[in-house]
Amino acid sequence: MSNALISRLKAIVGSEHVTDSYTDRRAYAYVNGYGGDLLYVLPDVIVLPESTEEVSKIVLLANETKTPVVPRGAATNMLGVNVANRGGIMLDMSLMNKTIDIDEDNMIVTADAGCSVYEIMHDLDERGLEFPVAPLFTSAVQIGASAACNISGLHMTRFGRLGDNITGLEVVMPTGEVITLGSGAYKKGLGFYHRYTGGPDLIGLFVNACGTTGIITKVAVQIRPKPNFLDYLAYGWRREQAQDLTAALHKLQRNAVYDCYLTNHWFYTERAEMLGLTPDVHFVASFTVDGNTREALAFEKDQVIRTAEEHHGVAISGLAQFL
């Protein structure tokens, strides 16, 4: 990459937010997750913008010089979409993390793309609120990347993936133009209160697109009150009992909407003995149950217990405690 282009990038974001050193570029060459050792591609330069305006200017410059741009969150994606396959500019969004606005009247949280989902969840928890999806990642997945990749996680079977709960986006288009979607697109006093404002669902163009259709710079998501009481249950089925497991899950989904996270024995291989998983258990279903009263919680738990046991599921107490 030419020194002239790097100098122009430094003029946009400041020299302290641009690096082309080999050591820094190598740190951005990997995916953080399973299969990360299979991908290794160095970007030519790393840039850390702090505002939507800076992202727009970087994209305009990239268009002018025909330089590839790859937006990157916390690098938790396992599919390689956050690796610079063709070199170019790696756009690290982690400094765009200043704004987390919680609107309790309209039950919407709005945050800059680089904000950690876990930080948002912590702020909500202090107010007795909760995020629609609890992501299953160990590092601090960012909200912009979460929207771009449409993350899944706990609560997904009840509330859907993150994309199902998004009410508004701010996006830098490939042309460098900045657009606002959802009701937030109306500048006169309206916020990101609802997604559909007439016409096609434009937000859907950017959810699950992994940054290919535009760079998300702000996200608005529906939030919910936390239940007063919460508990966890886990049941296992043998490989040949797949039909029993399927019937149990279908019945629970028909009668009530439960949070269920389905894995297999291999997911817990290193902790199988500690969690009480016997070798014959292959499928593992973890359930989250809640209620606003102890009686309501007890009723929900009974529904799961009876249904699982009717379909030959075996309780895994160690895993339930681990959850």
Side-chain angles (χ1 to χ4, degrees), residues 241-320:
Q241 292 178 310
Q243 289 187 339
D244 290 327
L245 165 63
T246 301
L249 295 181
H250 281 177
K251 184 173 181 179
L252 286 170
Q253 292 294 302
R254 284 198 305 270
N255 295 340
V257 179
Y258 290 99
D259 292 332
C260 176
Y261 184 65
L262 184 63
T263 56
N264 59 38
H265 187 279
W266 300 110
F267 188 81
Y268 301 103
T269 299
E270 297 177 356
R271 296 166 293 190
E273 185 175 349
M274 178 187 72
L275 299 175
L277 283 173
T278 57
D280 61 328
V281 169
H282 180 76
F283 300 106
V284 179
S286 307
F287 299 95
T288 307
V289 290
D290 59 49
N292 287 325
T293 65
R294 293 188 185 278
E295 293 75 15
L297 176 64
F299 175 81
E300 300 295 332
K301 288 181 64 175
D302 183 64
Q303 290 276 90
V304 174
I305 292 169
R306 285 192 297 106
T307 301
E309 292 181 351
E310 284 172 6
H311 293 85
H312 310 109
V314 177
I316 307 173
S317 58
L319 180 56

Side-chain angles (χ1 to χ4, degrees), residues 52-64 69 171-179 206 211-215:
T52 301
E53 181 183 10
E54 290 179 355
V55 174
S56 175
K57 289 180 178 179
I58 292 166
V59 172
L60 285 169
L61 177 59
N63 272 318
E64 177 190 333
V69 178
V171 182
V172 175
M173 298 291 287
T175 59
E177 178 186 4
V178 180
I179 64 171
F206 304 96
T212 58
T213 54
I215 299 173

Side-chain angles (χ1 to χ4, degrees), residues 9-321:
L9 289 168
K10 289 180 178 179
I12 294 172
V13 301
S15 58
E16 70 275 17
H17 294 158
V18 178
T19 178
D20 64 340
S21 78
Y22 175 76
T23 302
D24 291 335
R25 291 188 296 124
R26 181 166 179 163
Y28 284 80
Y30 295 95
V31 172
N32 179 20
Y34 300 112
D37 54 336
L38 302 177
L39 296 167
Y40 177 76
V41 187
L42 270 69
D44 294 315
V45 62
I46 297 100
V47 184
L48 288 86
E50 290 190 285
S51 68
T52 301
E53 181 183 10
E54 290 179 355
V55 174
S56 175
K57 289 180 178 179
I58 292 166
V59 172
L60 285 169
L61 177 59
N63 272 318
E64 177 190 333
T65 57
K66 301 191 183 318
T67 305
V69 178
V70 179
R72 183 178 174 105
T76 59
N77 190 286
M78 302 174 192
L79 303 179
V81 298
N82 45 17
V83 172
N85 278 330
R86 299 186 179 182
I89 301 169
M90 176 68 75
L91 207 60
D92 183 340
M93 304 295 286
S94 59
L95 294 184
M96 292 187 62
N97 63 351
K98 307 300 188 296
T99 302
I100 299 178
D101 178 50
I102 300 173
D103 182 348
E104 295 189 51
D105 291 331
N106 294 286
M107 296 299 282
I108 301 290
V109 60
T110 306
D112 292 335
C115 284
S116 161
V117 171
Y118 294 138
E119 182 179 352
I120 297 171
M121 291 170 68
H122 177 268
D123 290 352
L124 291 171
D125 185 68
E126 290 187 331
R127 301 186 187 208
L129 303 170
E130 67 177 12
F131 204 64
V133 180
L136 297 168
F137 297 99
T138 54
S139 56
V141 56
Q142 295 175 9
I143 186 65
S146 300
C149 297
N150 197 15
I151 62 167
S152 61
L154 298 178
H155 310 316
M156 184 179 72
T157 54
R158 182 183 296 190
F159 302 127
R161 297 174 71 167
L162 181 67
D164 299 311
N165 295 274
I166 290 175
T167 59
L169 294 176
E170 180 185 78
V171 182
V172 175
M173 298 291 287
T175 59
E177 178 186 4
V178 180
I179 64 171
T180 307
L181 303 170
S183 54
Y186 295 97
K187 302 300 183 182
K188 295 183 179 180
L190 292 177
F192 294 106
Y193 305 143
H194 55 89
R195 177 169 182 163
Y196 301 101
T197 57
D201 176 21
L202 298 179
I203 287 175
L205 294 175
F206 304 96
V207 173
N208 219 31
C210 298
T212 58
T213 54
I215 299 173
I216 295 171
T217 52
K218 194 180 295 293
V219 182
V221 182
Q222 293 176 340
I223 53 179
R224 296 174 175 83
K226 286 185 63 177
N228 295 327
F229 300 95
L230 185 70
D231 207 345
Y232 303 95
L233 298 165
Y235 281 83
W237 282 263
R238 298 191 305 275
R239 184 187 290 270
E240 61 270 21
Q241 292 178 310
Q243 289 187 339
D244 290 327
L245 165 63
T246 301
L249 295 181
H250 281 177
K251 184 173 181 179
L252 286 170
Q253 292 294 302
R254 284 198 305 270
N255 295 340
V257 179
Y258 290 99
D259 292 332
C260 176
Y261 184 65
L262 184 63
T263 56
N264 59 38
H265 187 279
W266 300 110
F267 188 81
Y268 301 103
T269 299
E270 297 177 356
R271 296 166 293 190
E273 185 175 349
M274 178 187 72
L275 299 175
L277 283 173
T278 57
D280 61 328
V281 169
H282 180 76
F283 300 106
V284 179
S286 307
F287 299 95
T288 307
V289 290
D290 59 49
N292 287 325
T293 65
R294 293 188 185 278
E295 293 75 15
L297 176 64
F299 175 81
E300 300 295 332
K301 288 181 64 175
D302 183 64
Q303 290 276 90
V304 174
I305 292 169
R306 285 192 297 106
T307 301
E309 292 181 351
E310 284 172 6
H311 293 85
H312 310 109
V314 177
I316 307 173
S317 58
L319 180 56
Q321 293 169 7

